[in-house]
Amino acid sequence: MEIKKSPKADLQNKRGLLLEIGLIIALGGVIAAFAWTPKEQKIEKLDLNIAPVEEEIMEITRQEQKPPEPPKKTEITVITDILKVVTNDTKITTNVDFAEFEDDVEIVQQVAVEEEEIVEEQPFLVAETMPSFQGGSLNDFRNWVQSKVRYPAIAQENGISGKVVLTFVIEKDGRLTNIQVLQTPDRSLSDEAIRVLQQSPKWSPGKQRNQPVRVRYTLPVEFRIQQ
């Protein structure tokens, strides 16, 4: 059975009309969109004729500083000795015991004596007239020392030998003082050399401008083991 379609129900015949209606609706929407305007916002205009507000200037008040008070005067009472004048008839009492002033009493007065610090003169290394040992020179004194020294046994046992260098001062009276060791290979050797120097007889002192002066000497003493 063949289905027959009514010509009135066929929409193909109305296709152009429907297209025109769609275009009209779209055009109306576009026109409505351009015709709509947003809500106006009011902006208040600043009134430039308003006068500026003047700030009130406050005066700074300063407290007046009082001048410093002058220092107070302190009264100092001065105690003076008051002399009382009396007549010859007035008896004067005193606490002094006059028995101390009797003839048989010996009065001893104690006086504090300050000790004077004695500063030694610096010895000369070279004087106008050098000291002499028994009429000879320093070499004669060295020979005398070498003849007097005894080799310490402990140094011989340990095979210790060498040179001991000493320094000493010839005083104004010819004494030999201030013996010091400058160099030594062993304490036993230097002790022996000092022992001999301490036994030295007096020298003839050195002189500077015909005045006795102190003179310093340096003396080497040899210690050798004889084989």
Side-chain angles (χ1 to χ4, degrees):
M1 182 176 178
E2 184 181 358
I3 300 173
K4 295 181 179 181
K5 194 173 183 179
S6 174
K8 294 180 179 181
D10 190 4
L11 297 178
Q12 292 293 334
N13 297 329
K14 298 179 180 180
R15 183 176 178 182
L17 180 61
L18 294 175
L19 182 59
E20 293 177 358
I21 293 172
L23 292 174
I24 293 171
I25 293 172
L27 182 60
V30 173
I31 294 172
F34 281 102
W36 179 80
T37 56
K39 186 177 180 180
E40 295 181 358
Q41 295 181 357
K42 295 181 179 182
I43 300 174
E44 294 182 359
K45 185 177 181 182
L46 181 64
D47 189 0
L48 300 176
N49 295 325
I50 298 175
V53 179
E54 295 182 359
E55 296 182 358
E56 185 178 358
I57 300 174
M58 300 292 293
E59 294 184 359
I60 300 173
T61 58
R62 296 181 179 178
Q63 296 181 356
E64 296 182 358
Q65 297 181 355
K66 296 181 179 181
E69 296 181 359
K72 295 181 180 180
K73 296 182 180 180
T74 304
E75 295 183 358
I76 301 174
T77 57
V78 181
I79 301 174
T80 58
D81 296 334
I82 300 174
L83 299 177
K84 185 177 180 182
V85 180
V86 297
T87 61
N88 294 334
D89 300 335
T90 305
K91 293 182 179 181
I92 300 174
T93 58
T94 179
N95 296 327
V96 179
D97 187 6
F98 289 96
E100 298 178 358
F101 300 98
E102 295 178 358
D103 295 338
D104 57 348
V105 177
E106 183 180 359
I107 300 174
V108 179
Q109 185 178 3
Q110 296 181 354
V111 180
V113 179
E114 295 182 358
E115 295 183 359
E116 184 179 357
E117 184 179 357
I118 300 173
V119 180
E120 292 185 354
E121 298 178 1
Q122 291 295 328
F124 285 80
L125 297 179
V126 178
E128 292 177 355
T129 303
M130 296 296 289
S132 62
F133 176 74
Q134 297 179 350
S137 62
L138 181 62
N139 290 330
D140 296 325
F141 177 68
R142 182 181 180 184
N143 295 332
W144 180 85
V145 172
Q146 292 289 162
S147 64
K148 297 292 183 180
V149 293
R150 298 175 183 175
Y151 213 110
I154 187 171
Q156 284 185 335
E157 293 175 359
N158 294 307
I160 300 173
S161 62
K163 182 186 297 183
V164 177
V165 181
L166 303 171
T167 178
F168 56 91
V169 175
I170 305 300
E171 297 292 340
K172 295 179 181 180
D173 58 357
R175 292 181 300 110
L176 192 151
T177 62
N178 294 344
I179 302 172
Q180 297 178 3
V181 179
L182 300 180
Q183 177 183 342
T184 180
D186 188 71
R187 176 69 177 273
S188 61
L189 300 181
S190 59
D191 289 345
E192 175 61 17
I194 292 173
R195 182 190 68 81
V196 175
L197 263 64
Q198 289 175 345
Q199 297 177 357
S200 170
K202 286 188 176 183
W203 291 49
S204 297
K207 292 183 179 181
Q208 186 76 13
R209 297 179 182 178
N210 294 327
Q211 296 295 327
V213 292
R214 306 172 72 229
V215 180
R216 179 179 296 278
Y217 272 127
T218 301
L219 178 72
V221 181
E222 293 283 348
F223 286 88
R224 295 180 181 178
I225 301 175
Q226 296 179 359
Q227 297 180 354

